[in-house]
């Protein structure tokens, strides 16, 4: 903006900014709105006629018209700036302007074909301008249709399909769309684009899992588009419309099967929004106009990252699901790709084309008999191959001789040869074709995540060369009662997908709500998006820990660990017992009581029940969760302020100053909760329980003194000091009420005893925590300031301790 420059430049930049924004709004908002408003005003007299009303009702459902009218009336009453009719008029203006550009181009192109361009040179320039404008409009219309209109439609259909189960009611939806139209449109767009992405990734992965004759010739594979703009311009509008129609049809069918049908079944079972079930969404917004777009953007980015990292996992899950079901239903050779192995291998089985297809012969006795017959069959195949080679050589000689004959004779002979070839093919089809089948092709290969391996392992598309893997795939064979087996497989897959997706959606949500209940958050403050994020974080952490445990846990090591187990001595048992009592008993209980008294407990409940209002078990459980989270933060250096010096870089120390600074830090950090103390305690626990080293590490100095004892003392101070202050203040008020009047404190009539106790406890606890934080932050803050000072005092910027501007 030029704020630091002269005032004239600042005014000039502000004027340019205002002019640019005005031109932008005029070009992309007011001009389309004016065109659409003019057309709507001219068409109102025709729409109000009976013929116009019948046509409108035939094209647009009555429910949609009523809903749009209700939202528009509510927005007009509240006098909102942006309303739904404004967006509709603007959209109509864009469509009319696009149609006008294409119409003008068609007219000018027809004129240029009849009239020579040299006669009218201006006409050629107009044609080039219209071609460029039409190209821009075409790209804009295609991108709007694919990236905005289709996701928005799918989001609206998803909302309508789940309204009965998820809620809220019709009035709440209308109110939300009226007060926050942009948020409502963005919400439906994000829902639609998320559904499209999941379906697209799943279908693309299923294309590679199934046999290449099924979906490889229909669905285009996933590949980068370096020239997306060129592909949009080169292909015709009909091609794009056909593709978008097919994609939209697939999305609608899957939406009906996996969203609408389960929602209706749940509604018939009595699970709906009115029953306050687990599917009913609960939200709490402080600033909806800001909070909703921010949450939707974060959710969309998270879904993009999730699909990018788990697309190969989705394909592997599909393969792991289809392989046992296909083997059980006899559909392996019909759906999954099988390798065609060369003869002579002992691990393959013979498959005859005329045998009942899809019936896998897996009996061991038959395999042994087949292996004994393979040697005889190999000799027969070699003889057949020699005969075929001789026949091919003879045919080549005949073709060379036929080339010398006249053209008419060549045509007749070619027709005869075609007839002979057709007869031979029919004979070959009727004769039994024998080949060896190997195991199913492992899908997906691990190298699919790499750019090089993907091109050689996916099925070919269009005119692409077929890979060696695809050449080795055996042909399909249809089993008996194929339609019945496919129906069973589809029903089982439908139920499996519903269970998987339902678990993926409900498990994080229920875990997040359980976390809210554990922290005693009131129900009216529940926010399900945050609960889902909290539950997803819990699931991700549990998945990481389980994966690490699976990788490190070896059965032989477990047996060796059990074999080397030993009983501790009395001193070691006392140390371990003290550690368990403090870490798993007293410290969590103190932390839970502090959380309950300082944040959760209502004053009315404390006045009525007193100490009986404290739920010891729930407080202990909250303390266990918070304490272990605190320990993790301390282990990564977030508690002792180890991340402060990183902001200022490395601290250059003078010679001989390192030992003095280290001694000062050790003196200040002695007996405090820091990263080194947590690490020392964790190492001692590993040595005790993993290596059974009771004598060296199972001591109070190793298990309790570094971390557990200081933390327990701090928690005891945080509970005992405010509690004593609260009871002492009440005692003083009851014994000497005149002191309260002298100190201008509230009288007993103004505030009750329970309110005074809770207020005093909370204020004292806050003051005590602030004092501990100030004491704790002094050392890292001093280090950070020292690092900043050392970074400033550099020879590149200072000359004789004076700041010099070298620019």
């Amino acid at each position: 903006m030029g704020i630091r420059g002269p005032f004239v430049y600042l005014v000039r930049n502000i004027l340019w900014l205002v002019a640019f924004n005005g031109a932008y709004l005029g070009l992309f908002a007011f001009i389309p709105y004016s065109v659409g408003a003019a057309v709507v005003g001219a068409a109102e007299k025709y729409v109000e006629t009976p013929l116009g009303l019948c046509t409108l009702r035939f094209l647009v459902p009555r429910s949609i018209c009523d809903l749009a009218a209700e939202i528009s009336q509510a927005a007009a009453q509240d006098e909102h700036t942006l309303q739904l009719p404004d967006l509709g008029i603007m959209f109509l203006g864009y469509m009319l302007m696009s149609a006008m550009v294409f119409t003008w181009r068609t007219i000018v192109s027809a004129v240029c074909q009849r009239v020579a361009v040299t006669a009218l040179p201006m006409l050629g320039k107009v044609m080039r301008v219209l071609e460029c404008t039409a190209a821009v409009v075409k790209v804009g219309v295609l991108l709007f249709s694919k990236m905005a209109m289709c996701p928005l439609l799918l989001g609206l259909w998803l909302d309508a399909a789940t309204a009965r189960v998820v809620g809220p009611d019709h009035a709440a939806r209308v109110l939300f769309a009226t007060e926050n139209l942009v948020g409502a449109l963005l919400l439906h767009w994000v829902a639609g684009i998320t559904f499209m992405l999941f379906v697209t990734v799943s279908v693309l992965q299923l294309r590679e899992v199934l046999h290449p004759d099924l979906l490889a010739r229909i669905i285009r594979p996933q590949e980068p588009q370096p020239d997306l703009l060129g592909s949009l311009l080169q292909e015709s509008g009909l091609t794009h419309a056909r593709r978008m129609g097919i994609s939209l049809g697939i999305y609608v069918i899957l939406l009906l099967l996996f969203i609408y049908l389960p929602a209706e079944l749940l509604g018939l079972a009595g699970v709906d929004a009115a029953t306050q079930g687990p599917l009913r969404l609960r939200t709490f917004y402080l600033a909806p106009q800001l909070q909703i777009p921010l949450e939707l953007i974060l959710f969309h980015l998270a879904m993009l990252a999730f699909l990018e990292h788990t697309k190969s996992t989705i394909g592997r899950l599909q393969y792991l699901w289809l392989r046992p079901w296909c083997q059980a239903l006899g559909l392996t050779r019909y759906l999954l790709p099988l390798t065609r192995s060369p003869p002579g291998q002992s691990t393959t089985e013979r498959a005859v084309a005329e045998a009942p297809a899809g019936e896998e012969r897996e009996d061991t006795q038959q395999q042994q008999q087949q292996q004994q017959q393979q040697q005889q069959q190999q000799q027969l195949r070699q003889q057949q191959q020699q005969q075929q080679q001789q026949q091919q050589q003879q045919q080549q000689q005949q073709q060379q001789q036929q080339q010398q004959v006249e053209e008419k004779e060549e045509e007749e002979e070619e027709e005869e040869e075609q007839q002979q070839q057709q007869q031979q093919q029919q004979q070959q089809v009727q004769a039994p074709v024998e080949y060896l089948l190997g195991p199913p092709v492992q899908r997906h290969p691990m190298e699919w995540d790499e750019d090089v391996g993907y091109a050689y392992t996916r099925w070919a598309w269009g005119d692409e060369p077929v890979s060696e893997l695809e050449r080795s795939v055996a042909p399909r064979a249809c089993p008996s009662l194929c339609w019945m087996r496919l129906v069973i497989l589809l029903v089982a897959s439908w139920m499996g997908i519903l269970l998987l997706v339902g678990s993926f959606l409900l498990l994080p949500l229920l875990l997040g709500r359980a976390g809210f209940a554990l922290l005693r958050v009131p129900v009216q403050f529940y926010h399900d998006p945050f609960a889902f994020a909290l539950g997803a974080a819990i699931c991700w952490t549990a998945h990481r820990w389980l994966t690490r445990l699976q990788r490190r846990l070896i059965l032989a090591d477990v047996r060796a660990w059990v074999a080397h187990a030993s009983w501790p001595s009395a001193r070691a048992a006392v140390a371990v017992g003290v550690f368990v009592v403090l870490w798993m008993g007293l410290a969590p209980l103190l932390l839970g009581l502090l959380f309950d008294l300082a944040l959760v407990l209502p004053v009315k409940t404390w006045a009525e029940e007193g100490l009986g209002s404290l739920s010891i078990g729930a407080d202990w459980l909250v303390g266990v969760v918070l304490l272990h989270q605190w320990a993790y933060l301390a282990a990564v250096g977030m508690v002792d302020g180890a991340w402060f010096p990183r902001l200022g870089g490395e601290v250059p120390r003078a010679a001989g100053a390192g030992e003095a600074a280290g001694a000062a830090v050790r003196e200040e950090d002695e007996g405090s909760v820091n990263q080194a103390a947590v690490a020392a305690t964790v190492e001692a626990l590993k040595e005790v329980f993993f290596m059974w080293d009771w004598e060296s590490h199972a001591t109070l100095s190793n298990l309790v003194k570094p971390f557990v004892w200081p933390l327990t003392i701090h928690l005891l101070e945080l509970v005992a000091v405010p509690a004593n202050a609260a009871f002492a203040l009440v005692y003083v008020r009851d014994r000497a009420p005149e002191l309260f009047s002298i100190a201008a404190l509230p009288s007993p009539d103004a505030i009750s005893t329970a309110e005074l106790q809770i207020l005093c406890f909370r204020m004292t606890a806050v003051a005590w925590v602030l004092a501990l934080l100030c004491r704790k932050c002094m050392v890292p803050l001093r280090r950070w300031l020292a690092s900043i000072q050392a970074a400033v005092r550099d020879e590149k910027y200072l000359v004789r301790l004076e700041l010099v501007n070298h620019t």
Side-chain angles (χ1 to χ4, degrees):
M1 294 297 295
I3 296 177
R4 298 182 180 180
F7 181 74
V8 178
Y9 295 134
L10 176 62
V11 174
R12 183 196 64 182
N13 295 338
I14 292 175
L15 292 177
W16 273 112
L17 179 63
V18 172
F20 176 77
N21 290 335
Y24 181 84
L25 292 175
L27 182 61
F28 293 102
F30 292 111
I31 294 178
Y33 181 81
S34 301
V35 175
V39 174
V40 169
E44 281 182 351
K45 56 182 179 180
Y46 299 103
V47 175
E48 293 177 355
T49 60
L51 180 61
L53 291 175
C54 294
T55 305
L56 185 62
R57 291 177 181 177
F58 178 75
L59 294 177
V60 182
R62 183 64 177 272
S63 59
I64 297 179
C65 294
D66 295 341
L67 179 62
E70 190 175 355
I71 295 174
S72 302
Q73 292 175 2
Q77 291 177 0
D78 296 339
E79 296 181 355
H80 290 285
T81 304
L82 184 63
Q83 300 180 11
L84 188 60
D86 299 335
L87 294 180
I89 292 174
M90 194 179 303
F91 174 75
L92 179 61
Y94 271 111
M95 293 296 101
L96 291 173
M97 293 170 62
S98 303
M100 291 167 59
V101 169
F102 288 120
T103 304
W104 291 342
R105 189 194 64 172
T106 304
I107 295 173
V108 175
S109 177
V111 173
C112 291
Q113 291 178 358
R114 296 186 178 184
V115 181
V117 180
T118 56
L120 296 174
M122 184 61 66
L123 193 61
K125 297 180 180 179
V126 173
M127 185 62 191
R128 287 192 292 270
V129 171
L130 288 176
E131 288 289 345
C132 296
T133 307
V136 173
V137 172
K138 178 183 178 181
V139 173
V141 170
L142 290 176
L143 291 178
F144 175 78
S145 301
K146 294 182 178 181
M147 301 302 298
M149 182 59 66
C150 285
L152 187 59
L153 288 176
L154 287 173
L156 292 172
W157 293 338
L158 283 169
D159 190 7
T162 57
R164 182 176 180 180
V165 178
V166 177
D169 55 0
H170 177 74
R173 292 169 183 267
V174 172
L175 180 62
F176 174 70
T178 302
E179 295 179 350
N180 192 1
L181 182 60
V182 177
L185 294 177
L186 186 60
L187 174 63
H188 291 92
W189 182 85
V190 170
I193 197 67
T194 304
F195 180 78
M196 290 177 61
L197 289 174
F198 268 99
V199 171
T200 302
V201 171
S202 301
V203 172
L204 289 175
Q205 298 299 316
L206 187 63
R207 175 190 185 271
E208 307 299 334
V209 171
L210 295 178
H211 196 280
D213 293 342
L214 291 173
L215 298 178
R217 306 296 179 262
I218 302 174
I219 299 175
R220 177 179 294 183
Q222 182 183 5
E223 55 186 6
Q225 295 287 342
D227 191 12
L228 180 61
L229 184 61
S231 63
L232 291 176
L233 293 175
Q234 291 173 3
E235 297 175 348
S236 63
L238 293 177
T239 303
H240 289 289
R242 178 175 55 84
R243 291 177 181 173
M244 191 168 63
I246 294 173
S247 301
L248 192 60
I250 294 174
Y251 294 141
V252 171
I253 292 173
L254 294 178
L255 188 147
L256 292 175
L257 289 176
F258 293 100
I259 304 296
Y260 179 75
L261 182 58
E264 290 297 320
L265 293 177
L266 289 175
L268 293 175
V271 181
D272 54 7
T275 59
Q276 300 290 334
L279 298 179
R280 181 177 175 85
L281 296 179
R282 303 168 184 172
T283 56
F284 177 75
Y285 289 108
L286 296 174
Q289 286 75 12
L290 179 63
Q291 192 174 351
I292 292 176
L294 182 61
E295 288 180 353
L296 292 175
I297 291 173
L298 293 177
F299 176 78
H300 182 58
L301 295 177
M303 285 296 103
L304 290 177
F306 173 78
L307 290 175
E308 181 65 25
H309 289 86
T310 59
K311 56 184 180 181
S312 297
T313 306
I314 294 174
R316 294 190 184 98
L317 289 176
Q318 292 174 352
Y319 176 76
L320 294 175
W321 172 265
L322 288 174
R323 182 172 180 178
W325 278 96
C326 288
Q327 289 180 355
L329 296 173
L331 293 172
T332 302
R333 288 190 57 196
Y334 186 70
L335 296 179
L336 297 182
L338 299 175
T339 56
R340 183 189 300 176
S341 303
Q345 294 184 0
S346 60
T347 59
T348 58
E349 59 179 356
R350 186 178 65 178
V352 182
E354 67 177 2
E359 297 178 358
E360 287 80 7
R361 298 171 176 83
E362 298 177 354
D363 297 335
T364 56
Q365 295 179 357
Q366 293 181 359
Q367 290 181 358
Q368 293 176 359
Q369 293 176 0
Q370 291 171 0
Q371 291 174 4
Q372 293 176 0
Q373 294 175 359
Q374 283 179 0
Q375 296 178 357
Q376 298 176 0
Q377 294 173 0
Q378 289 177 7
Q379 296 177 0
L380 294 175
R381 292 193 188 94
Q382 292 176 1
Q383 293 177 2
Q384 291 177 0
Q385 291 177 359
Q386 292 176 2
Q387 291 178 0
Q388 290 178 359
Q389 292 177 0
Q390 291 177 2
Q391 291 178 1
Q392 291 177 0
Q393 293 176 2
Q394 291 177 1
Q395 290 178 0
Q396 291 177 359
Q397 292 175 2
Q398 291 177 1
Q399 290 177 0
Q400 292 177 0
Q401 293 176 1
Q402 290 173 1
Q403 290 178 358
Q404 300 175 0
V405 186
E406 295 179 354
E407 295 180 357
K408 294 182 180 180
E409 295 179 356
E410 287 181 356
E411 293 178 357
E412 294 177 356
E413 290 177 358
E414 287 178 358
E415 292 178 358
E416 293 178 357
E417 288 179 0
Q418 290 178 358
Q419 294 177 358
Q420 292 178 0
Q421 289 178 359
Q422 290 178 0
Q423 293 177 359
Q424 291 178 0
Q425 290 177 359
Q426 292 177 359
Q427 293 176 359
Q428 290 177 358
V429 169
Q430 294 176 359
V433 181
E434 298 181 355
Y435 51 85
L436 298 177
L437 289 180
V441 180
Q442 181 68 31
R443 312 296 286 177
H444 288 37
M446 294 300 294
E447 63 269 12
W448 274 32
D449 297 335
E450 302 176 1
D451 295 336
V452 178
Y454 177 77
Y456 293 98
T457 53
R458 68 169 175 83
W459 307 136
W461 163 259
D463 298 333
E464 293 179 352
V466 180
S467 61
E468 294 294 335
L469 178 64
E470 189 171 353
R471 289 194 189 98
S472 63
V473 173
R476 297 166 60 207
C478 182
S480 59
L481 299 176
C482 180
W483 64 272
M484 185 180 297
R485 304 183 188 201
L486 288 176
V487 168
I488 296 174
L489 178 61
L490 289 176
V491 172
S493 301
W494 178 75
M495 297 177 64
I497 292 173
L498 288 181
L499 290 175
L500 181 62
V501 176
S503 302
F504 175 77
L505 294 177
L506 287 180
L507 183 60
L509 181 61
L510 295 179
L511 287 176
R513 289 180 179 177
F516 286 168
L518 181 64
L519 297 177
R520 302 180 190 178
V521 178
V523 180
Q524 61 269 21
F525 295 142
Y526 276 20
H527 191 58
D528 283 342
F530 183 73
F532 184 84
L534 179 62
I538 295 173
C539 294
W540 178 74
T541 305
H543 173 71
R544 285 188 60 190
W545 282 101
L546 291 176
T547 304
R548 290 182 180 180
L549 183 62
Q550 182 182 4
R551 292 176 180 176
R552 297 181 180 180
L553 192 61
I554 302 174
L555 185 59
D557 294 342
V558 174
R559 291 176 179 175
W561 176 72
V562 174
H564 290 82
S566 60
W567 290 100
S569 60
R571 183 175 62 88
V574 170
V576 173
V578 171
F579 171 80
V580 172
V581 169
L582 292 180
W583 179 250
M584 296 302 298
L586 184 58
L589 183 59
L590 292 173
L591 184 57
L593 290 174
L594 178 64
F595 176 82
D596 193 0
L597 292 172
L599 299 176
V600 176
L601 186 64
V603 178
K604 183 178 180 181
T605 306
W606 174 258
E608 294 177 354
E609 302 179 9
L611 294 177
S613 61
L614 299 175
S615 54
I616 304 300
D619 292 341
W620 175 81
L621 185 59
V622 172
V624 168
V625 175
L626 297 179
L627 189 63
H628 285 80
Q629 184 64 34
W630 175 276
Y632 174 77
L633 294 177
V636 297
M638 295 296 294
V639 174
D640 58 348
W643 47 277
F644 261 109
R646 300 172 190 169
L647 300 177
E650 297 293 334
V651 181
R653 297 179 179 179
E659 296 182 358
V665 170
R666 286 192 297 270
E667 290 178 359
E668 291 176 342
D669 291 345
E670 185 177 359
S672 62
V673 180
N674 52 25
Q675 186 177 10
V678 178
T681 305
V682 171
E683 290 297 328
L685 290 173
K686 288 182 179 180
E687 292 293 333
V688 171
F689 293 103
F690 289 170
M691 306 302 296
W692 302 113
D693 190 359
W694 299 100
E695 301 299 331
S696 301
H697 295 85
T699 59
L700 293 176
S701 59
N702 291 330
L703 295 178
V704 178
K705 184 179 179 180
F707 173 61
V708 178
W709 179 253
L711 182 61
T712 307
I713 294 299
H714 287 321
L715 292 175
L716 186 60
E717 292 174 355
L718 286 173
V719 175
V721 173
N724 291 329
F727 284 106
L729 185 63
V730 172
Y731 179 81
V732 170
R733 191 187 69 168
D734 294 339
R735 294 293 184 271
E738 62 275 3
L739 295 178
F740 270 64
S741 59
I742 296 175
L745 294 176
S747 61
D749 298 333
I751 184 172
S752 63
T753 303
E755 293 176 352
L756 181 62
Q757 288 178 344
I758 292 295
L759 181 63
C760 180
F761 182 89
R762 292 175 178 177
M763 293 181 63
T764 308
V766 170
W768 198 265
V769 169
L770 291 177
L772 290 178
L773 288 177
C774 292
R775 178 177 175 272
K776 190 69 179 177
C777 293
M778 289 302 296
V779 175
L781 184 61
R782 192 180 305 168
R783 298 174 189 170
W784 181 62
L785 293 176
S787 64
I788 292 295
Q789 184 181 6
V792 172
R793 296 175 58 86
D794 194 355
E795 64 274 5
K796 294 182 180 180
Y797 302 99
L798 294 176
V799 177
R800 295 181 181 179
L801 301 180
E802 293 181 359
L803 187 63
V804 178
N805 188 1
H806 293 283
T807 60

